[in-house]
């Protein structure tokens, strides 16, 4: 039954992506400016409801060369489901304040996840050459000592020829 729900959600996500893309094209927006979110069925719990064992995620990007926000950086969140097996949970861009908040990312169950920052798209928009076209950060979500979910903040500090990340708060 859960597998059928995943298939139905994937079909709904595809339909929504087509509608968002068509609307964005109609409004003259670039596809990279649209954002979609795929429900995290494993994390959300098929039964639904509030789950204290789920964690939240946020991120931001800072351009360390200019000291300015990294607005417009495409970000994709994947669940790592096995060796070379990933499931997309979220795709969007950083807002004008360089952030993707916990309200945009889905709730996360215990597991391993990968955030991919499309630095090539960001630096190309600035007409700046960069050495690292993508920054991939793989991280593990665990429960705290009380068995509850935690908040994870994964920032990315960028320059055209380097990057840094850490677990923020």
């Amino acid at each position: 039954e859960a597998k059928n729900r995943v298939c139905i959600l994937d079909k709904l996500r595809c339909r929504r992506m087509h509608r968002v893309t068509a609307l964005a094209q109609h409004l003259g927006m670039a596809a990279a400016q649209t954002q979609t979110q795929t429900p995290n069925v494993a994390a959300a719990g098929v039964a639904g409801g509030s789950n204290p064992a789920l964690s939240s995620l946020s991120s931001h990007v800072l351009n360390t060369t200019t000291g300015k926000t990294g607005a417009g950086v495409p970000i994709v969140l994947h669940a790592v489901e096995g060796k070379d097996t990933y499931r997309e949970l979220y795709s969007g861009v950083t807002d004008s304040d360089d952030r993707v908040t916990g309200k945009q990312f889905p709730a996360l169950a215990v597991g391993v996840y990968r955030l991919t920052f499309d630095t090539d798209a960001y630096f190309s928009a600035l007409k700046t050459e960069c050495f690292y076209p993508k920054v991939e950060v793989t991280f593990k979500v665990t429960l705290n000592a009380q068995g509850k979910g935690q908040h994870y903040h994964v920032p990315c500090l960028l320059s055209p020829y380097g990057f840094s990340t850490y677990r923020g708060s």
Side-chain angles (χ1 to χ4, degrees):
E1 185 176 329
K3 186 175 181 179
N4 287 340
R5 287 183 184 165
V6 170
C7 291
I8 290 168
L9 287 172
D10 282 345
K11 287 177 186 176
L12 291 173
R13 179 181 61 86
C14 287
R15 286 184 193 143
R16 185 177 66 216
M17 284 180 65
H18 289 290
R19 284 194 304 267
V20 169
T21 302
L23 179 61
Q25 288 172 347
H26 175 71
L27 296 175
M29 296 170 59
Q33 292 175 329
T34 64
Q35 60 184 23
T36 60
Q37 182 174 343
T38 304
N40 181 347
V41 176
V46 178
S50 175
N51 185 340
L54 297 179
S55 294
S56 61
L57 175 67
S58 61
S59 183
H60 79 269
V61 177
L62 177 66
N63 183 332
T64 58
T65 301
T66 63
K68 296 182 180 178
T69 64
V73 177
I75 296 180
V76 179
L77 173 67
H78 288 97
V80 179
E81 296 184 331
K83 185 179 179 191
D84 299 324
T85 306
Y86 306 94
R87 180 169 44 98
E88 184 177 306
L89 303 177
Y90 172 86
S91 177
V93 295
T94 54
D95 63 19
S96 60
D97 195 31
D98 77 346
R99 299 184 182 278
V100 177
T101 66
K103 292 179 182 177
Q104 294 163 292
F105 285 122
L108 303 177
V110 169
V112 178
Y113 297 87
R114 179 180 72 184
L115 266 178
T116 302
F117 300 86
D118 188 347
T119 54
D120 192 47
Y122 171 71
F123 283 114
S124 291
L126 297 176
K127 299 186 181 352
T128 301
E129 182 180 328
C130 72
F131 184 68
Y132 298 102
K134 294 200 184 311
V135 172
E136 293 184 346
V137 180
T138 303
F139 60 98
K140 186 180 353 178
V141 170
T142 61
L143 300 178
N144 66 15
Q146 293 76 36
K148 295 183 179 180
Q150 307 176 68
H151 178 70
Y152 290 85
H153 183 67
V154 182
C156 186
L157 309 178
L158 292 178
S159 78
Y161 298 97
F163 65 90
S164 179
T165 187
Y166 56 93
R167 180 177 176 187
S169 57

